[in-house]
């Protein structure tokens, strides 16, 4: 071995514990060097000593002829290394003690780690598991003690415990409810919110958190459910306003808000008796046909003594949440109710999480609450609060009372749960999921918590009525579709707890027509509906509804009793303790306009007391229904051809606000895209791609038709005087063709004030035509395109130099009116939101008659007159920002400059306000706009709904040939292609 290797080996072995080793004298005496392995065994770390027989160190003489090693310093730095001799004997005790000390040192070295690696991290990679890091028992046994010490040490080194409780604590009964109440401070939850939140895309609209559409692909499946099965929707967010007073006083006040020209009013005989549900459009007091408030549905409580004029009648008005404030304000005005403080305004106030209750000497309880005991049986824990009562601090609703008319207006929002079942099997789902409440059993000693039901069953007349309602409810199974009933039919009923009637697995409800096929009662209810006395229900009594909610048996209690049944899976019988829930079944009619798909979309609405939402929801799910959200509600109204609140009411404040929100969202999304990846609407000839300028459209059509100068002289003088006093200018007269051409020229300087001039000419605001007589006439005119033969004699021919007499009369009564229309595409093409409805030219109609495959004309590309201005403005803005950065202006000055730039900034591809004339901006005259458009799976082609100008519609119908009066052109904002469509007016 060389000198370098010896030094290296000596350095490596110098710190090893002392040991007894064999001597290498035998090898040295024979005259040869020991092998490398022998040298390793014989080398001693301590050069000067080794344990002797007595345990003391003894010094031995050097060997002159043996092998020796040099020390640390090498051959030239010190004497040769000392090699101890082999002892002649070993003391067992001392030898064992030395070895024990060495073993202890080894164990200590193994147990003490020199790195920060945990035991779990020191395992081989193939042995590492996620669970080993948390469960010591999953580690090898030899490492468990060390891991246990590590965990104990880390537990002491942890920071203070986090304030957030563990999941189990957060999921507890009381804490969970407090968290739910806190999350409802801005947006109220429905009783089915948690069920929807797990399966739907949720949106926050109208002060509620609602399900928009299912997370799974179910758009076509929901349509199939509406057409052949059943679709379930939660409409509990609809607001209910209750009016109570004398019948004459109520009708006198409500007559100021409606008109008989639009259809049946509150005084309709069938609706007033309480047998049918009615629907109408409310207006501001004495403002018809302008200033609409929105559409509502109403229910009269069935009168027990119809001949008594002084009897207190009860009326429910159901409306959309966006319409509630305006309608409530107008109702209080016509009913002469006193002004209430701001805290009594019916806008729901969220429930604040209650603080821990302090002990009081005289506690005051307004309502009796069920309580349960904890495991120890000492403390009482309050039950879960009803989520449906999230808008009230107490059980009493807000109300306003009139001293003059004795009418009381109450706000019953969120006091009821309302579900809508749509489809031909909706009544089958009801008959299978619900069963009539059992009569009170007098044989049982315990009357149960439902004393009101025991008192009701004690009267034989009430028992007869309950039996009649039960038999009528069972007759629903013999009807093929809800559309066979009269529209708005009402059936009152008291049902048992539906949770006791759950099937073991999901089933599909089907009607049993053969069971009642030969009965005359089935034919009677199809023609006349249910008898009047069957419409009575306890749901009209607020005290009984409160008792039903308070005495509801919890889900936990029902599950416990099911587990104690002798025969598992059998039906649970609670006897008199079973809940009795009053409900109200309301038939909602299907499609009633047009000849295609009559009765499509019909179904039933069910109203029940609050707190019972999920108890009825789950049994309906188990009967094979499909659940829809807001998207399905819009799809349903679109296929039925009815307006959807509030977007399809441009003449009411809620509709204007909805259009503004839609415009802001679309404009924001448009600006987020780069200019090269978005449509240039200026070049497409689209003035308003994100909104519908109804006022400008109707005002331009009025001026174009010359209706301003056709007003009678007396009214013309009044309008002239009023406008002169208010505005200081005289209204404009008839415009010549030359002036009109100049005014209608795009980009001219005179077009900027065109809208303001039109506002002075004929009064601001628009209204939607809802007169049934005029709508029927317009529907007849539009349907002539499908008929062969001469024009009907009742339709007047157009005048040679102006509008007809009928046009003048209608437009004088309904100035600046819009007409609700439905469009069906002739060929391919799917209309989109805010698509333009235009009048075809004579050449287009001739080409369509000769070529059936003619797709339609195309709009030539327009120039972009503001592009240079926008680019110049952007360049100037960049220069200002660069200059401000160089000069290092103050932050406040930079914010003011950026705010000014944003307010004056133009958007590339959009027309700035005010808009040029809209009806003559393109090569085809504009008639109206589309508010809903999509491919219709019911019709198999594109369909759309929208509004057109009444003046323009009559002008088009009176000027076109007989066989082409019902055709229009539709063009999407992002396209230049016009496509033909049939126009139909809903009468």
């Amino acid at each position: 071995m060389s000198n370098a290797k010896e030094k290296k080996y000596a350095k490596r072995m110098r710190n090893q514990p002392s040991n007894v080793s064999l001597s290498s004298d035998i090898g040295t005496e024979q005259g040869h060097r020991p092998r490398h392995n022998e040298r390793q065994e014989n080398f001693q770390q301590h050069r000067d000593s080794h344990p002797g027989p007595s345990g003391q160190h003894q010094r031995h003489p050097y060997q002159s002829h043996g092998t020796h090693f040099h020390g640390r310093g090498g051959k030239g730095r010190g004497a040769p290394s000392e090699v101890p001799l082999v002892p002649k004997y070993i003391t067992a005790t001392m030898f064992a003690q030395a070895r024990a000390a060495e073993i202890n040192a080894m164990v200590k070295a193994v147990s003490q780690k020199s790195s920060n690696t945990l035991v779990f991290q020191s395992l081989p990679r193939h042995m590492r598991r996620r669970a080993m890091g948390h469960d010591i028992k999953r580690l090898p046994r030899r490492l468990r003690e060390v891991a246990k010490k590590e965990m104990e040490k880390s537990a002491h080194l942890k920071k203070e415990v986090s304030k957030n409780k563990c999941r189990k604590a957060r999921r507890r009964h009381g804490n969970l409810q407090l968290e739910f109440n806190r999350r409802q401070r801005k947006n109220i939850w429905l009783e089915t919110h948690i069920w929807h939140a797990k399966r739907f895309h949720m949106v926050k609209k109208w002060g509620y958190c609602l399900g928009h559409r299912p997370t799974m692909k179910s758009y076509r499946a929901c349509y199939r459910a509406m057409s052949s099965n059943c679709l379930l929707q939660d409409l509990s967010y609809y607001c209910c306003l209750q009016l109570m007073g004398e019948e004459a006083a109520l009708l006198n006040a409500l007559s100021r808000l409606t008109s008989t020209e639009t259809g049946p009013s509150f005084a309709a005989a069938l609706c007033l008796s309480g047998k049918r549900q009615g629907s109408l459009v409310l207006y501001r007091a004495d403002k018809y046909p302008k200033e609409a408030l929105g559409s509502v549905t109403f229910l009269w409580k069935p009168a027990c003594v119809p001949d008594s004029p002084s009897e207190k009648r009860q009326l429910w008005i159901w409306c959309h949440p966006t319409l509630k404030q305006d309608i409530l304000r107008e109702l209080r005005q016509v009913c002469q109710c006193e002004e209430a403080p701001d805290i009594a305004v019916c806008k729901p106030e969220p429930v604040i999480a209650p603080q821990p209750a302090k002990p009081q000497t005289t506690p005051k309880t307004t309502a009796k609450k069920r309580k349960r005991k904890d495991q120890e049986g000492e403390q009482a824990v309050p039950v879960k609060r009803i989520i449906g009562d999230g808008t009230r601090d107490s059980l009493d609703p807000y109300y306003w009372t009139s001293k003059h008319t004795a009418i009381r207006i109450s706000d019953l929002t969120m006091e009821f749960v309302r579900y809508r079942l749509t489809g031909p099997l909706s009544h089958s789902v009801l008959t299978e999921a619900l069963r009539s409440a059992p009569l009170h059993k007098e044989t049982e000693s315990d009357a149960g918590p439902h004393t009101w039901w025991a008192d009701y069953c004690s009267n034989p007349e009430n028992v007869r009525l309950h039996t009649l309602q039960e038999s009528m409810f069972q007759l629903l199974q013999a009807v093929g579709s809800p559309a066979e009933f009269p529209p708005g039919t009402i059936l009152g009923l008291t049902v048992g707890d539906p949770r006791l009637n759950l099937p073991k697995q999901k089933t599909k409800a089907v009607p049993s027509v053969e069971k009642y096929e030969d009965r005359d009662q089935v034919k009677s209810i199809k023609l006349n509906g249910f008898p009047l006395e069957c419409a009575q229900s306890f749901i009209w009594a607020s005290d009984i509804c409160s008792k039903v909610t308070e005495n509801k048996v919890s889900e936990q209690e029902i599950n416990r009793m099911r587990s104690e049944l002798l025969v598992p899976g059998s039906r649970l019988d609670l006897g008199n303790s079973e809940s009795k829930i009053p409900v109200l079944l309301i038939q909602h009619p299907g499609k009633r306009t047009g000849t295609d798909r009559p009765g499509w979309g019909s179904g039933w609405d069910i109203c029940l007391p609050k707190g019972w939402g999920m108890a009825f929801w789950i049994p309906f799910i188990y009967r094979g229904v499909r659940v829809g959200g807001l998207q399905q509600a819009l799809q349903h109204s679109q296929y039925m051809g009815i307006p959807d609140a509030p977007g399809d009411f441009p003449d009411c404040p809620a509709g204007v606000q909805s259009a503004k929100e839609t415009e802001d969202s679309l404009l924001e999304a448009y600006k987020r895209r780069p200019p090269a990846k978005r449509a240039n609407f200026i070049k497409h000839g689209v003035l308003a791609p994100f909104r519908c300028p109804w006022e400008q459209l109707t005002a331009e059509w009025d001026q174009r038709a010359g209706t301003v100068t056709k007003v009678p002289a007396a009214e013309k003088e009044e309008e002239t005087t009023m406008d002169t006093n208010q505005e200081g200018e005289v209204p404009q007269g008839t415009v010549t063709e030359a002036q009109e051409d100049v005014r209608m020229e795009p980009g001219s300087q005179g077009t900027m004030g065109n809208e303001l001039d039109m506002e002075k000419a004929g009064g601001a605001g628009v209204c939607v035509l809802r007169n049934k007589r005029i709508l029927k006439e317009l529907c007849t005119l539009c349907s002539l395109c499908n008929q062969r033969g001469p024009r009907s004699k009742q339709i007047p021919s157009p005048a040679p130099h102006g509008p007809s007499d009928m046009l003048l009369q209608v437009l004088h009564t309904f100035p600046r009116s819009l007409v609700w229309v439905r469009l069906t595409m002739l060929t391919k093409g799917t209309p989109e939101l805010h698509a333009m409805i235009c009048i075809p030219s004579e050449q287009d109609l001739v080409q369509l008659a000769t070529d059936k495959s003619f797709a339609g004309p195309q709009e030539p590309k327009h120039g972009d007159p503001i592009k240079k201005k926008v680019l110049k403005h952007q360049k100037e803005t960049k220069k200002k920002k660069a200059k401000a950065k160089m000069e290092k202006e103050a932050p406040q000055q930079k914010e003011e400059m950026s705010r000014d730039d944003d307010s004056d900034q133009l958007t590339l591809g959009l027309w700035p306000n005010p808009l040029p004339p809209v009806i003559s901006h393109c090569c085809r005259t504009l008639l109206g706009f589309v508010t809903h458009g999509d491919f219709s799976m019911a019709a198999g082609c594109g369909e759309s709904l929208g509004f057109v100008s009444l003046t323009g519609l009559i002008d088009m119908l009176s000027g076109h040939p007989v066989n082409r009066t019902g055709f229009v052109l539709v063009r999407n904002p992002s396209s230049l292609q016009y496509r033909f469509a049939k126009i139909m007016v809903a009468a």
Side-chain angles (χ1 to χ4, degrees):
M1 178 182 290
S2 62
N3 252 352
K5 291 183 178 180
E6 292 177 356
K7 292 179 182 179
K8 185 176 181 181
Y9 185 75
K11 183 178 180 181
R12 187 170 53 188
M13 303 294 292
R14 70 178 183 274
N15 294 326
Q16 296 299 322
S18 59
N19 197 357
V20 177
S21 59
L22 297 175
S23 176
S24 57
D25 292 343
I26 300 175
T28 54
E29 289 177 359
Q30 295 178 359
H32 60 79
R33 296 177 62 88
R35 294 190 303 271
H36 179 67
N37 294 337
E38 294 177 357
R39 288 198 303 267
Q40 290 183 357
E41 295 176 357
N42 299 335
F43 186 81
Q44 301 297 324
Q45 285 78 12
H46 298 280
R47 300 186 303 266
D48 54 349
S49 65
H50 74 280
S54 61
Q56 298 178 358
H57 297 283
Q58 298 180 2
R59 186 175 300 272
H60 297 272
Y62 295 108
Q63 299 291 335
S64 58
H65 59 278
T67 305
H68 62 272
F69 301 114
H70 297 283
R72 287 186 184 181
K75 192 174 183 178
R77 290 190 181 182
S81 301
E82 299 179 357
V83 180
L85 299 176
V86 178
K88 298 181 179 180
Y89 60 90
I90 298 176
T91 306
T93 305
M94 301 303 298
F95 184 80
Q97 290 179 354
R99 302 293 79 74
E102 293 177 3
I103 293 173
N104 291 334
M106 292 174 58
V107 171
K108 186 176 180 180
V110 172
S111 60
Q112 292 181 353
K113 298 181 303 179
S114 60
S115 63
N116 296 328
T117 305
L118 300 177
V119 174
F120 166 72
Q121 297 171 336
S122 62
L123 289 173
R125 292 192 178 273
H126 71 279
M127 294 181 61
R128 297 184 189 181
R129 298 291 183 271
R130 185 186 300 271
M132 290 183 180
H134 308 281
D135 192 356
I136 299 177
K137 295 181 180 179
R138 293 182 178 270
L139 288 171
R141 293 184 179 180
R142 59 184 178 83
L143 301 176
R144 291 179 184 177
E145 293 296 332
V146 182
K148 186 177 180 180
K149 293 180 181 179
E150 288 181 355
M151 294 190 69
E152 291 177 356
K153 183 178 180 181
S154 62
H156 292 295
L157 296 178
K158 276 186 178 179
K159 298 180 180 178
E160 60 178 2
V161 181
S162 175
K163 296 182 180 179
N164 296 331
K165 300 181 180 180
C166 63
R167 177 174 174 81
K168 185 176 180 180
R170 285 187 282 112
R171 296 288 296 181
R172 285 175 185 167
H173 188 202
N175 296 341
L176 183 63
Q177 188 58 33
L178 293 179
E179 178 65 14
F180 286 170
N181 291 338
R182 182 192 65 81
R183 291 162 64 180
Q184 295 184 65
R185 292 179 181 177
K186 293 183 179 180
N187 298 280
I188 304 171
W189 290 2
L190 305 183
E191 293 188 19
T192 58
H193 171 81
I194 297 179
W195 190 94
H196 279 89
K198 295 178 180 180
R199 301 165 179 88
F200 275 67
H201 295 282
M202 307 300 290
V203 294
K204 297 177 180 179
K205 299 184 69 173
W206 314 315
Y208 297 88
C209 193
L210 306 174
H212 181 252
R213 67 184 188 280
T215 52
M216 60 185 298
K217 294 182 179 180
S218 59
Y219 188 82
R220 291 179 177 270
C222 289
Y223 165 73
R224 289 194 295 268
M226 286 186 285
S227 301
S228 58
N229 195 359
C230 181
L231 181 75
L232 177 62
Q233 296 170 280
D234 190 356
L235 301 184
S236 303
Y237 60 91
Y238 267 70
C239 303
C240 180
L241 303 176
Q242 176 180 276
L243 279 72
M244 185 179 297
E246 296 183 3
E247 181 179 313
L250 288 174
L251 293 177
N252 186 27
L254 295 174
S255 62
R256 301 177 56 189
L257 305 179
T258 60
S259 175
T260 55
E261 295 180 356
T262 61
S265 62
F266 289 101
L270 292 176
C271 299
L272 187 60
S273 64
K275 191 177 180 180
R276 305 279 180 85
Q277 174 187 249
S279 60
L280 46 80
V281 178
L282 294 181
Y283 294 83
R284 295 196 183 275
D286 306 323
K287 295 292 185 180
Y288 173 80
K290 296 183 178 180
E291 301 186 25
L293 297 177
S295 63
V296 298
T297 58
F298 61 93
L299 297 170
W300 285 96
K301 180 183 178 181
C304 299
V305 187
D307 298 332
S308 177
S310 60
E311 181 192 358
K312 292 285 185 179
R313 296 298 304 272
Q314 200 169 344
L315 173 67
W316 284 352
I317 299 178
W318 293 83
C319 63
H320 196 270
T322 56
L323 312 175
K324 176 177 140 181
Q325 293 293 339
D326 298 327
I327 292 176
L328 181 60
R329 190 181 301 110
E330 207 65 24
L331 287 174
R332 289 168 53 188
Q333 179 182 351
V334 296
C335 296
Q336 302 179 14
C337 292
E338 294 181 354
E339 291 292 334
D342 295 337
I343 58 174
V345 175
C346 62
K347 182 178 180 181
E349 291 293 338
V351 177
I352 301 177
Q355 300 295 332
K358 297 181 180 180
Q360 299 179 359
T361 56
T362 58
K364 299 181 180 180
T365 57
T366 57
K368 183 179 179 182
K369 294 185 178 180
R370 297 179 291 109
K371 296 183 178 180
R372 62 180 176 89
K373 294 184 178 180
D374 59 352
Q375 297 178 355
E376 301 175 357
E378 297 177 356
Q379 299 178 355
V381 184
V383 299
K384 180 179 178 181
R385 184 177 180 180
I386 302 301
I387 299 180
D389 194 25
T391 62
R392 296 286 185 271
D393 292 336
S394 63
L395 297 177
D396 298 330
Y398 292 101
Y399 61 89
W400 299 265
T401 307
S402 173
K403 296 181 179 180
H404 304 281
T405 59
I407 296 177
R408 181 189 178 105
I409 302 177
S410 304
D411 176 22
L412 302 183
T413 302
M414 300 296 294
E415 292 294 322
F416 301 101
V417 177
R418 183 161 184 167
Y419 295 152
R420 172 161 292 180
L421 292 92
T422 306
L425 300 183
S426 56
H427 57 280
S428 301
V429 172
L430 290 173
T431 53
E432 290 194 13
L434 308 180
R435 64 178 185 88
S436 183
L439 296 175
H440 179 71
K441 299 178 182 179
E442 298 180 356
T443 57
E444 296 185 8
S445 58
D446 187 11
H450 311 286
T451 56
W452 63 274
W453 183 248
D455 298 340
Y456 179 79
C457 294
S458 61
N459 190 348
E461 185 64 24
N462 296 337
V463 174
R464 183 196 65 82
L465 177 60
H466 178 69
T467 306
L468 178 61
Q469 290 178 339
E470 181 181 2
S471 62
M472 291 297 167
F473 178 66
Q474 294 298 328
L475 286 178
L476 294 178
Q477 298 180 1
V479 183
S481 173
E484 300 180 17
F485 289 95
T489 301
I490 297 177
L491 175 63
L493 196 65
T494 304
V495 299
D497 197 333
R499 295 173 293 179
L500 307 180
N501 197 28
L502 277 177
K504 295 183 180 179
Q505 59 184 1
K506 283 188 177 182
T507 59
K508 183 178 181 180
V510 293
S512 56
V513 182
E514 298 81 5
K515 187 176 180 180
Y516 302 95
E517 188 176 17
D518 299 331
R519 292 197 176 186
D520 297 335
Q521 290 183 348
V522 178
K523 299 179 181 179
S524 177
I525 62 175
K526 287 183 179 180
L527 295 175
N528 305 320
F530 300 106
L532 176 60
E533 56 184 350
C534 292
Q536 298 182 16
S537 175
F538 283 106
I539 199 172
W540 293 93
S542 59
D543 55 343
I544 292 181
C545 289
S546 300
K547 293 179 181 178
V548 170
T549 302
E550 294 171 4
N551 297 326
K552 175 188 174 184
V553 183
S554 64
E555 193 77 24
Q556 181 181 4
E557 184 68 16
I558 289 181
N559 294 335
R560 184 190 63 79
M561 289 186 289
R562 279 177 179 165
S563 64
E564 296 176 355
L565 288 174
L566 296 179
V567 181
S570 60
R571 190 182 183 280
L572 183 64
D573 187 11
L574 302 181
N576 289 339
S577 299
E578 181 180 354
S579 299
K580 285 79 179 177
I581 309 103
V583 299
L584 204 62
L585 302 179
I586 308 167
Q587 190 263 2
H588 62 90
K591 190 174 182 297
R592 292 186 290 176
T593 59
T595 58
D596 55 331
R597 308 189 307 274
W600 186 92
S602 61
W604 290 89
D605 288 1
I606 178 172
C607 297
L608 45 120
K610 66 179 180 181
W612 286 90
M614 289 304 299
F616 281 75
W617 186 267
I618 298 301
F620 290 157
I621 300 296
Y622 268 76
R623 264 66 185 193
V625 302
R626 183 170 289 273
V627 182
L630 297 178
Q631 184 188 62
Q632 282 66 41
L634 182 63
Q635 181 186 15
H636 176 258
S637 61
Q638 179 181 345
Y639 288 175
M640 287 185 60
I642 59 176
D644 180 70
D648 293 334
F649 290 87
D651 55 341
C652 71
V656 175
Q657 179 65 23
S658 176
K660 180 62 178 175
E661 294 174 358
T662 303
E663 179 187 3
D664 294 342
S665 62
L666 293 177
L667 182 59
E668 182 182 359
Y670 180 81
K671 289 183 177 180
R672 283 199 300 264
R673 304 188 66 182
K677 303 298 180 182
R678 65 192 185 195
N680 190 326
F681 294 109
I682 297 180
K683 293 184 178 181
H684 288 182
V686 181
L687 297 178
F690 307 133
R691 64 185 179 94
C692 303
W694 302 117
E695 296 185 1
Q696 186 174 352
L697 174 71
T698 54
E700 289 182 8
W701 267 111
D702 284 352
Q703 282 199 353
R704 181 167 183 172
T707 57
V708 178
T709 58
K710 299 294 182 178
V711 180
E715 296 186 5
K716 181 180 178 180
E717 292 178 0
E718 294 179 1
E719 293 179 1
T720 304
T721 306
M722 180 179 61
D723 293 342
T724 304
N725 295 335
Q726 293 180 359
E727 305 291 342
E729 297 180 4
V730 180
Q732 299 178 0
T734 307
V735 184
T736 61
E737 295 182 0
Q739 293 175 349
E740 187 176 358
D741 294 339
V742 173
R743 181 175 296 173
M744 298 303 178
E745 182 182 356
S748 61
Q749 297 295 331
T751 58
M752 296 302 177
N754 190 20
E755 187 175 354
L756 299 176
D757 296 340
M758 292 177 182
E759 294 295 335
K760 298 176 183 179
V766 296
C767 64
V768 178
L769 179 66
R770 298 184 179 93
N771 189 299
K772 294 295 184 181
R773 181 181 60 85
I774 300 177
L775 289 176
K776 287 183 179 179
E777 295 180 0
L778 294 175
C779 182
T780 305
L781 286 171
C782 293
S783 62
L784 288 177
C785 62
N786 299 325
Q787 299 177 2
R788 301 296 181 184
R791 185 187 295 266
S792 175
K793 296 181 179 179
Q794 299 178 357
I795 303 172
S797 59
H801 298 290
S804 62
D805 296 337
M806 184 187 70
L807 173 63
L808 292 177
Q809 182 180 0
V810 172
L811 295 181
H812 171 63
T813 309
F814 303 97
R816 298 194 180 185
S817 297
L818 298 173
V819 182
W820 175 257
V821 295
R822 183 164 61 95
L823 306 175
T824 304
M825 307 301 293
L826 287 183
T827 57
K828 62 179 182 179
T830 301
E832 298 176 357
L833 179 64
H834 301 148
M836 294 175 290
I837 306 173
C838 303
I839 302 176
S841 62
E842 295 182 3
Q843 184 180 0
D844 298 336
L845 297 176
V846 171
Q847 193 170 356
L848 177 63
T850 57
D851 185 8
K852 297 297 182 181
S853 61
F854 177 55
Q858 280 196 349
E859 176 73 17
K861 276 196 173 183
H862 293 230
D864 192 350
I866 68 169
K867 182 177 181 180
K868 295 183 179 180
K869 185 177 180 180
V870 172
L871 296 178
K872 182 180 179 181
H873 181 78
Q874 293 178 354
K875 190 178 295 184
E876 292 177 356
T877 304
K878 289 182 180 179
K879 289 183 180 180
K880 289 181 181 180
K881 290 183 179 179
K883 185 178 179 181
K885 187 176 181 180
M886 293 296 294
E887 296 178 357
K888 297 182 180 180
E889 294 181 355
Q892 184 177 1
Q893 297 178 359
K894 292 183 180 180
E895 292 179 2
E896 293 178 356
M897 185 187 66
S898 61
R899 195 181 302 113
D900 296 340
D901 293 343
D902 294 340
S903 60
D904 298 334
Q905 187 176 6
L906 301 175
T907 304
L908 188 64
L910 295 178
W911 274 99
N913 290 323
L915 300 177
V918 294
I919 63 173
S920 60
H921 184 71
C922 300
C923 63
R924 298 298 183 270
T925 305
L926 183 65
L927 189 62
F929 295 95
V930 170
T931 56
H932 295 290
D934 198 358
F935 180 83
S936 174
M937 289 179 286
C941 61
E943 280 192 346
S944 60
L945 303 171
F947 292 94
V948 297
S949 172
L950 174 62
T951 310
L953 179 63
I954 296 180
D955 182 65
M956 182 192 72
L957 296 177
S958 60
H960 280 181
V962 180
N963 57 346
R964 299 299 176 191
T965 52
F967 289 121
V968 293
L969 293 173
V970 179
R971 182 165 72 93
N972 292 331
S974 58
S975 175
L976 296 174
Q977 179 69 48
Y978 290 94
R979 298 192 182 277
F980 283 98
K982 290 191 300 183
I983 184 171
M984 288 160 281
V985 178

